[in-house]
Amino acid sequence: MTQCVIFDCDGTLVDSEYLCNLGLQEQLALSGVVISAEQLIKQYRGERLADTLATISRLHDVSLSDDFIPLYRERVDALFDQELKVIDGVEEMLEQLRLPRCTASNAPVEKTRRQLSQTGLDRYFGGKNYSAYDVDAWKPDPKLFLHAAASMGFAPEQCLVVEDSPVGVVAAQAAGIPVVHYDPEGQFDAVPGVPKFGHMRELLPLIMA
């Protein structure tokens, strides 16, 4: 039985995937790279930002400036201030969840904390937010999830990961942690042994199964 729940943040708790990729679309356009937010989501969802930018630079034969990432993050922060929202059903689910929980994200922990604070979700996590930057390993590497589980005081098999990206699902599987896949738009193929769900109201029964 699940004793601890490890949540991804972007696209799982907060509706930030489009805003992050819209910011990336706009920042790339300044470097002459035309690629839509929708395309970025489809091709690079959940990947480490540095890896995504390296691939884009290679495919489009462009060198991005040293200040590209800081400028991109400033652009995304501005979009968050205007439009960031909680995923539908998340607050109701967290109100009813009676288990220890944390977040584990490829993003810097400061970004996760800002998103949770801005949306009021921080009160559900008590500062238990873990980042790939803590362990210098990004999903699909399993180290982040193993770090989160150990930091929470649980064995991998006692936890459940809630993810919206295929790379996150792969990371959880590699860590030996059960995982469920939040895919509200049915974008991704089913993974054998990984339950999929489309609305947060469906999550609690999966956690307690």
Side-chain angles (χ1 to χ4, degrees):
M1 181 176 290
T2 299
Q3 298 183 45
C4 176
V5 185
I6 303 172
F7 290 91
D8 176 54
C9 185
D10 287 295
T12 300
L13 296 173
V14 295
D15 196 5
S16 56
E17 282 289 346
Y18 178 75
L19 297 179
C20 289
N21 285 281
L22 178 60
L24 187 53
Q25 170 193 310
E26 294 174 350
Q27 197 64 35
L28 285 168
L30 297 178
S31 299
V33 178
V34 178
I35 180 169
S36 71
E38 291 80 5
Q39 288 175 290
L40 290 165
I41 292 170
K42 184 175 182 180
Q43 294 176 23
Y44 303 109
R45 186 171 193 145
E47 289 190 6
R48 180 187 181 189
L49 177 60
D51 294 338
T52 296
L53 295 179
T55 300
I56 290 172
S57 296
R58 176 175 51 81
L59 292 177
H60 293 266
D61 192 24
V62 63
S63 294
L64 301 177
S65 64
D66 291 340
D67 60 355
F68 183 94
I69 290 180
L71 291 173
Y72 155 73
R73 294 205 187 282
E74 288 180 9
R75 189 175 292 269
V76 169
D77 284 347
L79 290 169
F80 282 178
D81 287 341
Q82 298 168 20
E83 302 183 47
L84 185 64
K85 298 177 181 178
V86 178
I87 294 286
D88 188 34
V90 161
E91 288 185 89
E92 294 83 354
M93 176 272 297
L94 290 174
E95 284 286 351
Q96 298 176 57
L97 182 62
R98 298 291 181 255
L99 296 175
R101 80 292 301 263
C102 66
T103 67
S105 172
N106 269 355
V109 71
E110 294 83 5
K111 178 187 174 187
T112 298
R113 287 173 177 162
R114 174 176 177 152
Q115 293 177 98
L116 296 179
S117 175
Q118 187 172 338
T119 56
L121 295 182
D122 53 340
R123 68 186 185 276
Y124 296 109
F125 291 93
K128 295 180 173 62
N129 309 118
Y130 304 104
S131 166
Y133 289 82
D134 297 336
V135 292
D136 197 31
W138 284 258
K139 307 169 192 176
D141 191 296
K143 289 180 184 176
L144 171 57
F145 285 140
L146 291 172
H147 170 66
S151 298
M152 293 294 290
F154 295 94
E157 62 272 15
Q158 294 176 307
C159 300
L160 179 75
V161 165
V162 184
E163 264 287 351
D164 73 307
S165 71
V167 294
V169 171
V170 170
Q173 290 181 309
I177 302 177
V179 57
V180 293
H181 189 184
Y182 174 60
D183 185 14
E185 298 176 6
Q187 290 181 296
F188 303 107
D189 293 334
V191 178
V194 177
K196 284 180 65 174
F197 67 105
H199 193 282
M200 282 296 163
R201 72 171 68 92
E202 303 170 54
L203 179 57
L204 283 177
L206 293 175
I207 291 173
M208 305 315 295

